[in-house]
């Protein structure tokens, strides 16, 4: 199926015509900033100019002039009109120009070249529309590896009690080391023979440590610290230790990467709560008040996706056919899409980021008032520019990251 079999009857304002050629032109709107006597320029992408449509129509036959006059009258009318594009269908366009050509060698025939501009652009989705998941089911990420490890432990308990005792002791020691790394205390004794219980318990205990209630360090610094601790937990069972079973390595790998996902999910939930609180507060209209800026949220998203990608690589390297590696890879891929969509929604909730140049000596309060008419948004400027040396002394020509107006 292609354009040759799906062409529509072309018309403008209800006047039909035969179409011989169409050209659709797009042009980027670029703002070029260049200093005098400089070969370097700063180019700012301002979007896409209105779409321009060129159509060549023709009429032939004894009544060609009647149709030509009708189309010319339609083109001469003021305002926008409905164009039936032979390929793209119904479009609301403005007429720019038209030309009517007669040829002595073609009797009862004329060609009409028309130029249109489409003022409103269509909202095209780059991906298949889908609802963003409010939460990620971490139990699903742990289910298959936990089941495989449980099956192996039962087989060892039946066939080789000594190996079973050594494996259970190794897992228990690993859990104790993990809780020491996160400065946590385990009040209950886990049933090591039930991997899903202690795996899910460790993931929950790690995710509870993600919070924004800090005074001396920023939220992104606290997340980085917790993320590094989770990475160290992954080193407890080294993948180079050949004495460890593939099932144990897979289960521990799933526990570590699920912990990273759970921490990111907690960050998403806390950010959502902050935005909802700021939006419901009638005393302020600042919806940008949150502990994490869009670039910091993007860093969290990228890190988690890299961890999931590494887990996928490790799963692809598994040679044991009894382990659910293929199914686990699909779960990791789906989780990566979910965490990406969740954080992207948070980023797009705020206005887009841009840069501004300080035009005169100022402070962050004066700059916030100049940009937004609200000096209380100075704290927002400080969060977006953590390397700002002195908020009370902004120099002329200094470039800062701010939200668009």
């Amino acid at each position: 199926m292609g354009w040759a079999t799906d062409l529509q009857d072309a018309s403008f304002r209800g006047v039909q015509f035969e179409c011989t050629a169409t050209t659709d032109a797009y042009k980027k709107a670029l703002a070029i900033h260049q200093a005098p006597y400089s070969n370097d320029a700063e180019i700012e992408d301002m979007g896409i100019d209105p779409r321009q449509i060129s159509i060549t129509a023709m009429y032939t036959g004894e009544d060609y002039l009647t149709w030509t006059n009708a189309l010319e009258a339609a083109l001469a009318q003021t305002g926008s009109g409905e164009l039936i594009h032979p390929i793209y269908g119904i479009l609301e366009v403005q007429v720019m120009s038209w030309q009517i050509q007669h040829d002595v060698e073609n009797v009862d025939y004329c060609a009409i070249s028309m130029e249109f501009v489409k003022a409103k652009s269509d909202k095209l989705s780059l991906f298949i529309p889908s609802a963003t998941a409010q939460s990620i089911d971490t139990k699903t990420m742990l289910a298959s590896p936990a089941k495989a490890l449980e099956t192996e432990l039962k087989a060892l308990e039946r066939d080789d009690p000594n190996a079973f005792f050594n494996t259970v002791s190794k897992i228990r020691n690993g859990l104790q080391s993990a809780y020491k790394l996160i400065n946590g205390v385990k009040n209950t004794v886990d049933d090591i023979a039930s991997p899903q219980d202690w795996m899910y318990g460790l993931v929950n205990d790690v995710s509870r440590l993600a919070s924004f209630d800090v005074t001396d360090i920023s939220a992104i610094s606290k997340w980085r610290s917790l993320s590094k601790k989770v990475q160290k937990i992954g080193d407890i069972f080294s993948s180079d230790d050949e004495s460890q079973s593939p099932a144990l390595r897979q289960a521990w790998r799933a526990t570590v990467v699920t912990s990273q996902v759970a921490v990111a999910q907690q960050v998403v939930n806390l950010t959502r709560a902050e935005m909802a609180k700021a939006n419901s507060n009638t005393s302020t209209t600042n919806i940008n008040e949150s502990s994490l800026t869009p670039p910091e949220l993007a860093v969290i998203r990228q890190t988690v996706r890299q961890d999931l990608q590494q887990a996928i690589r490790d799963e692809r390297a598994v040679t044991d056919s009894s382990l659910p590696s293929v199914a686990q890879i699909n779960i990791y891929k789906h989780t990566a899409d979910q965490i990406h969509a969740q954080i992207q929604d948070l980023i797009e909730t705020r206005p887009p980021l841009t840069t501004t140049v300080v035009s005169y000596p100022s402070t962050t309060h004066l700059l916030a008032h100049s940009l937004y008419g609200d000096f209380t948004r100075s704290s927002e400027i400080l969060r977006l520019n953590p390397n700002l040396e002195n908020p009370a002394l902004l120099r002329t020509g200094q470039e800062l990251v701010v939200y668009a107006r």
Side-chain angles (χ1 to χ4, degrees):
M1 181 179 292
W3 69 268
T5 57
D6 294 322
L7 290 178
Q8 304 182 49
D9 293 332
S11 68
F12 180 66
R13 289 197 172 107
V15 182
Q16 293 186 348
F17 53 84
E18 295 292 332
C19 181
T20 60
T22 66
T23 302
D24 295 83
Y26 302 87
K27 183 180 179 182
K28 277 281 191 177
L30 302 177
I32 301 176
H33 310 282
Q34 187 173 10
Y37 309 107
S38 172
N39 294 329
D40 297 328
E42 180 181 348
I43 301 177
E44 185 177 359
D45 190 340
M46 307 296 290
I48 300 177
D49 281 344
R51 172 181 169 189
Q52 295 187 7
I53 303 169
S54 301
I55 294 182
T56 302
M58 60 163 284
Y59 287 117
T60 184
E62 295 181 355
D63 59 348
Y64 87 96
L65 192 56
T66 302
W67 285 101
T68 301
N69 293 335
L71 180 58
E72 187 175 9
L75 294 169
Q77 290 184 22
T78 304
S80 63
E82 183 183 82
L83 170 68
I84 306 297
H85 194 287
I87 297 176
Y88 299 113
I90 300 175
L91 301 175
E92 193 70 19
V93 298
Q94 291 276 356
V95 179
M96 294 178 61
S97 64
W98 69 93
Q99 294 179 353
I100 301 176
Q101 178 184 0
H102 288 84
D103 189 347
V104 68
E105 295 183 359
N106 295 310
V107 180
D108 296 336
Y109 165 90
C110 76
I112 305 176
S113 300
M114 298 171 287
E115 300 286 339
F116 302 98
V117 59
K118 190 174 184 297
K120 294 184 178 180
S121 61
D122 299 325
K123 294 183 178 179
L124 302 176
S125 58
L126 296 178
F127 305 99
I128 298 174
S130 60
T132 302
Q134 290 298 308
S135 61
I136 296 175
D137 186 4
T138 53
K139 283 188 175 180
T140 302
M141 298 179 65
L142 301 173
S144 295
K147 185 65 177 178
L149 180 58
E150 184 178 3
T151 301
E152 182 178 277
L153 290 175
K154 289 180 178 179
L156 288 176
E157 185 178 17
R158 181 183 64 251
D159 302 331
D160 193 345
N162 290 332
F164 172 76
F165 177 78
N166 292 333
T167 303
V168 168
S169 298
K170 187 178 296 185
I171 295 175
R172 183 175 287 110
N173 293 335
L175 286 174
Q176 292 175 354
S177 300
Y179 278 98
K180 287 181 181 179
L181 283 171
I182 61 175
N183 299 323
V185 178
K186 192 67 176 175
N187 296 324
T188 60
V189 178
D190 290 311
D191 182 7
I192 304 301
S194 178
Q196 185 157 1
D197 292 340
W198 56 259
M199 290 166 65
Y200 188 66
L202 178 58
V203 169
N204 277 345
D205 292 336
V206 170
S207 65
R208 291 192 187 100
L209 298 177
S211 65
F212 293 164
D213 53 344
V214 293
T215 56
D216 55 338
I217 59 175
S218 62
I220 187 65
S221 297
K222 190 167 186 180
W223 169 81
R224 284 196 178 101
S225 176
L226 183 55
S227 179
K228 289 179 180 178
K229 289 179 180 180
V230 176
Q231 291 176 0
K232 291 181 180 179
I233 291 176
D235 297 333
I236 292 176
F237 291 109
S238 174
S239 59
D240 297 332
D241 188 355
E242 296 181 357
S243 63
Q244 294 172 8
S245 68
L248 175 56
R249 288 200 295 268
Q250 185 187 56
W252 194 254
R253 180 166 58 247
T255 304
V256 173
V257 74
T258 304
S259 297
Q260 294 283 27
V261 171
V263 169
Q265 178 70 81
Q266 181 69 0
V267 168
V268 169
N269 294 337
L270 292 172
T271 305
R272 285 172 177 168
E274 284 185 337
M275 288 182 167
K277 183 178 179 180
N279 197 31
S280 62
N281 189 353
T282 56
S283 63
T284 178
T285 58
N286 182 15
I287 64 170
N288 305 318
E289 190 73 28
S290 67
S291 299
L292 291 169
T293 63
E296 291 171 344
L297 288 170
V299 169
I300 295 175
R301 176 179 61 186
Q302 182 181 12
T303 302
V304 176
R305 286 175 63 88
Q306 287 174 348
D307 292 338
L308 285 165
Q309 184 60 46
Q310 184 58 48
I312 290 174
R313 294 192 191 99
D314 293 338
E315 290 294 333
R316 286 172 174 162
V318 173
T319 57
D320 193 337
S321 59
S322 64
L323 296 180
S325 297
V326 176
Q328 195 65 16
I329 288 173
N330 292 332
I331 291 174
Y332 288 155
K333 288 181 177 179
H334 181 62
T335 303
D337 289 337
Q338 287 182 314
I339 200 68
H340 177 91
Q342 285 183 343
I343 295 181
Q344 186 65 26
D345 280 353
L346 293 179
I347 294 174
E348 293 180 352
T349 299
R350 301 181 178 91
L353 289 175
T354 185
T355 58
T356 186
V357 178
V358 179
S359 56
Y360 52 86
S362 180
T363 67
T364 54
H365 284 81
L366 289 175
L367 181 62
H369 177 74
S370 175
L371 292 174
Y372 313 115
D374 183 3
F375 73 91
T376 61
R377 294 181 66 175
S378 62
S379 59
E380 168 190 304
I381 298 176
L382 290 175
R383 286 197 313 277
L384 292 176
N385 300 272
N387 296 325
L388 192 61
E389 296 178 359
N390 189 351
L393 182 59
L394 302 183
R395 301 182 302 275
T396 302
Q398 190 172 2
E399 190 174 90
L400 299 177
V401 178
V402 296
Y403 287 112
R405 295 178 178 83

